[in-house]
Amino acid sequence: MTNRFLGVRRAVTAAGSVALLGLVAGCGNGGSSDGTSSAPRTESGTATSSATGAPTGTSGVPTDPVSNSLTPSAPPVSASATRCHTSELSASVGRNNPGAGQENFPVVLTNESHRTCTLYGYPGTAFVDASGKQLGPDPERSAGKPETVKLPPGGSAWAGLSFSNPEISEAATATPAALLVTPPDEEDPLKVTWKGGAVPVSGDESSVRLIPFSPGTGA
């Protein structure tokens, strides 16, 4: 997992002017000056990132989905037909694997159903405080190539979430109460208690990056 996270970090560095990323996606969901917004909107995960690094696909509040004007490439037919639904999954956040000033967490989805299903693309993610308000800017997806991950009953897949250590970057921070995780092409999120400490929410180094799902737990 370490090498993959490091590869994403190098790619982001080489890109130069990459769009800001936070832990909540959603077109037009601007944050306030204190790094919060009143309506967190987790986006459904999608197959690809846009050319500029901005999120693509569908996003919205779980009870009021909002379509994004950007349309990603469709997942393979087999992945679309057998995709895992939120009701079939549980979510967790694995152990931090820090390196070179970066904090790297695997976001893990596990199949709790009795059938084999698939995940393809990126999760929707959102840091929220105890009252449910979004913390931080919108997320940015890496340019990694997604793969269809088959999850048998009890199987897991992980997507990487990384950001610069706030103590080094000097970005403004907040400590989330939870991370909302929305499976690819779903609208309803899963809520995971956040135990990873402070996260960057504003400033030049507040970007948080996502890499697409891979098999396993990322441990």
Side-chain angles (χ1 to χ4, degrees):
M1 182 181 74
T2 303
N3 291 339
R4 192 167 184 215
F5 273 126
L6 293 176
V8 171
R9 185 166 66 252
R10 286 196 294 268
V12 172
T13 301
S17 56
V18 184
L20 282 180
L21 128 68
L23 299 163
V24 180
C27 187
N29 185 21
S32 65
S33 60
D34 62 354
T36 65
S37 65
S38 58
R41 301 191 297 168
T42 61
E43 68 180 358
S44 61
T46 57
T48 61
S49 60
S50 70
T52 61
T56 61
T58 302
S59 64
V61 181
T63 57
D64 185 21
V66 179
S67 296
N68 191 310
S69 60
L70 300 176
T71 303
S73 301
V77 173
S78 60
S80 177
T82 64
R83 81 172 190 268
C84 301
H85 301 292
T86 300
S87 61
E88 299 175 304
L89 300 167
S90 63
S92 61
V93 177
R95 179 177 58 87
N96 184 19
N97 184 22
Q102 293 285 315
E103 309 302 320
N104 306 304
F105 294 88
V107 177
V108 182
L109 293 181
T110 299
N111 182 7
E112 303 290 351
S113 74
H114 298 292
R115 74 178 184 102
T116 296
C117 60
T118 60
L119 294 173
Y120 182 82
Y122 302 77
T125 56
F127 280 136
V128 295
D129 64 15
S131 66
K133 289 185 178 181
Q134 175 187 330
L135 300 173
D138 291 347
E140 179 183 285
R141 296 167 180 171
S142 73
K145 183 178 180 180
E147 61 178 302
T148 299
V149 182
K150 289 186 178 181
L151 298 186
S156 298
W158 69 281
L161 182 155
S162 65
F163 52 85
S164 296
N165 184 313
E167 293 183 2
I168 297 175
S169 69
E170 298 184 349
T173 64
T175 300
L179 177 68
L180 302 183
V181 181
T182 306
D185 299 312
E186 293 290 297
E187 295 175 355
D188 297 324
L190 297 163
K191 187 175 183 179
V192 183
T193 300
W194 179 254
K195 300 179 180 179
V199 301
V201 295
S202 65
D204 293 339
E205 298 296 329
S206 61
S207 295
V208 180
R209 292 167 291 282
L210 292 168
I211 60 176
F213 281 107
S214 294
T217 63

